[in-house]
Amino acid sequence: MIRKAVLPVAGLGTRCLPASKAIPKEMITIVDKPVIQYVVEEAVAAGIKEIVLVTHSSKGAIENHFDKHFELETTLEAKGKLELLDELRHIIPDDVKIISVRQPEPLGLGHAVLCARPVIGDDEPFAVLLPDVLVDSLGLDQNDLAGMIQAFEHSGQSQIMVENVPKELTYKYGIVALEGDTPEAGHSAPMASVVEKPAVEDAPSSLAVIGRYLLPGSIFALLAETKPGAGGEIQLTDAIDTLIAREGVQAFRMQGATYDCGHQLGYLEAILAFAKRHPKFGAGFQELMQRYVAEE
């Protein structure tokens, strides 16, 4: 069973500037929780018990968010704000561990994943979740990460989560080339390769990689051997291409929806999606939206 997940959070968040100048981009809030908390909750809901944050010296706020804050909890208890106190004490379940390791230099996603090697080890599979992207499982019996884990356990092969995007937008994404037909949502199909941001006319499919991976421990040895690629960085995609040739990799087509919170419009869409169904603020938020629509 896959019980560990790596979350690369060391990036400087330049796409989110100026909001991310003084705070980590992962701590920007969607309604009342930071983006990183939604991603951790996704992992926990899929059965993950150990979260490895690959972080940077400027990202202490992320670690602090998941740590105990004795003074704040004592103050809330003294003031009788017990509901809020309980919420703070259960940001993560008691049986889930948060571990931090440093990425000393910004040498790419592949290098960030490699930094987790001492914690994960070379002998067990693990998940990688990119915190820029929120994966929404509204209406599903289980979230897509849990479905992808089941596909991994059934096939024994690595899984890359993909979603169907409009053909004219394929130039923005890593696009997978399949060996056969496109799988139905919630199912996997063997991959032939990954093409990074192809020209629209050259895109091998319309299935885009969206930042969720299930990989074997053997990927670390491949990453250690991978030479810097685009931008002088160690690319996870290059190691995955080697893994395809050696062991096979499958593309898991997701069922839910994604929101790219590293982009301003994606972030605003995430706020809309999560705010309108929020148990405390949802009704009021929808009234606000109706009022603003009426004023146009």
Side-chain angles (χ1 to χ4, degrees), residues 132-152:
D132 284 350
V133 178
L134 293 187
V135 177
D136 191 359
S137 60
L138 180 66
L140 301 179
D141 293 333
Q142 62 179 8
N143 69 22
D144 279 302
L145 183 62
M148 191 162 67
I149 290 174
Q150 289 179 353
F152 182 97

Side-chain angles (χ1 to χ4, degrees), residues 11-26:
L12 296 177
T14 53
R15 291 199 301 162
C16 297
L17 287 170
S20 59
K21 180 183 178 183
I23 62 171
K25 63 177 181 178
E26 298 84 2

Side-chain angles (χ1 to χ4, degrees), residues 3 23 28 30 41 52 78 80 118 121 135 144-145 152 156 179 190 198 271:
R3 288 291 181 264
I23 62 171
I28 298 173
I30 303 293
E41 288 173 353
V52 182
V135 177
D144 279 302
L145 183 62
F152 182 97
E179 289 187 357
I271 291 176

Side-chain angles (χ1 to χ4, degrees), residues 206-284:
S206 57
L207 295 176
V209 178
I210 54 87
R212 300 294 185 270
Y213 310 82
L214 297 183
L215 301 169
S218 60
I219 194 75
F220 290 122
L222 298 180
L223 287 168
E225 297 169 357
T226 300
K227 297 187 181 303
E233 298 182 339
I234 297 173
Q235 301 294 336
L236 181 60
T237 302
D238 291 341
I240 289 172
D241 271 336
T242 304
L243 195 65
I244 291 172
R246 292 188 182 182
E247 303 179 12
V249 176
Q250 296 185 346
F252 177 87
R253 186 178 174 188
M254 63 176 300
Q255 300 179 81
T258 60
Y259 304 100
D260 180 4
C261 294
H263 183 275
Q264 284 80 355
L265 289 177
Y267 167 71
L268 291 172
E269 186 179 7
I271 291 176
L272 289 172
F274 286 89
K276 69 181 183 180
R277 65 174 190 259
H278 192 282
K280 185 182 295 185
F281 306 116

Side-chain angles (χ1 to χ4, degrees), residues 25 33 52 74 77 102 168 193 201 216 223 246 278 284:
K25 63 177 181 178
K33 293 187 295 189
V52 182
T74 300
E77 188 169 18
R102 289 283 180 89
E168 64 271 18
S193 64
E201 61 273 16
L223 287 168
R246 292 188 182 182
H278 192 282

Side-chain angles (χ1 to χ4, degrees), residues 92-220:
I92 57 170
D94 293 337
D95 62 345
V96 173
K97 293 189 294 184
I98 303 284
I99 299 169
S100 295
V101 297
R102 289 283 180 89
Q103 183 183 19
E105 298 178 77
L107 298 179
L109 175 57
H111 180 259
V113 173
L114 185 58
C115 288
R117 187 179 193 178
V119 180
I120 302 293
D122 289 14
D123 299 322
E124 64 176 302
F126 63 100
V128 176
L129 288 78
L130 304 190
D132 284 350
V133 178
L134 293 187
V135 177
D136 191 359
S137 60
L138 180 66
L140 301 179
D141 293 333
Q142 62 179 8
N143 69 22
D144 279 302
L145 183 62
M148 191 162 67
I149 290 174
Q150 289 179 353
F152 182 97
E153 293 168 351
H154 176 74
S155 68
Q157 290 190 324
S158 300
Q159 304 284 320
I160 310 298
M161 193 181 293
V162 297
E163 70 171 338
N164 197 46
V165 298
K167 181 73 173 179
E168 64 271 18
L169 298 181
T170 50
Y171 72 94
K172 293 184 175 183
Y173 302 94
I175 302 296
V176 302
L178 301 176
E179 289 187 357
D181 296 332
T182 299
E184 295 181 4
H187 295 271
S188 299
M191 288 171 50
S193 64
V194 180
V195 183
E196 195 63 36
K197 297 182 179 179
V200 171
E201 61 273 16
D202 297 329
S205 75
S206 57
L207 295 176
V209 178
I210 54 87
R212 300 294 185 270
Y213 310 82
L214 297 183
L215 301 169
S218 60
I219 194 75
F220 290 122

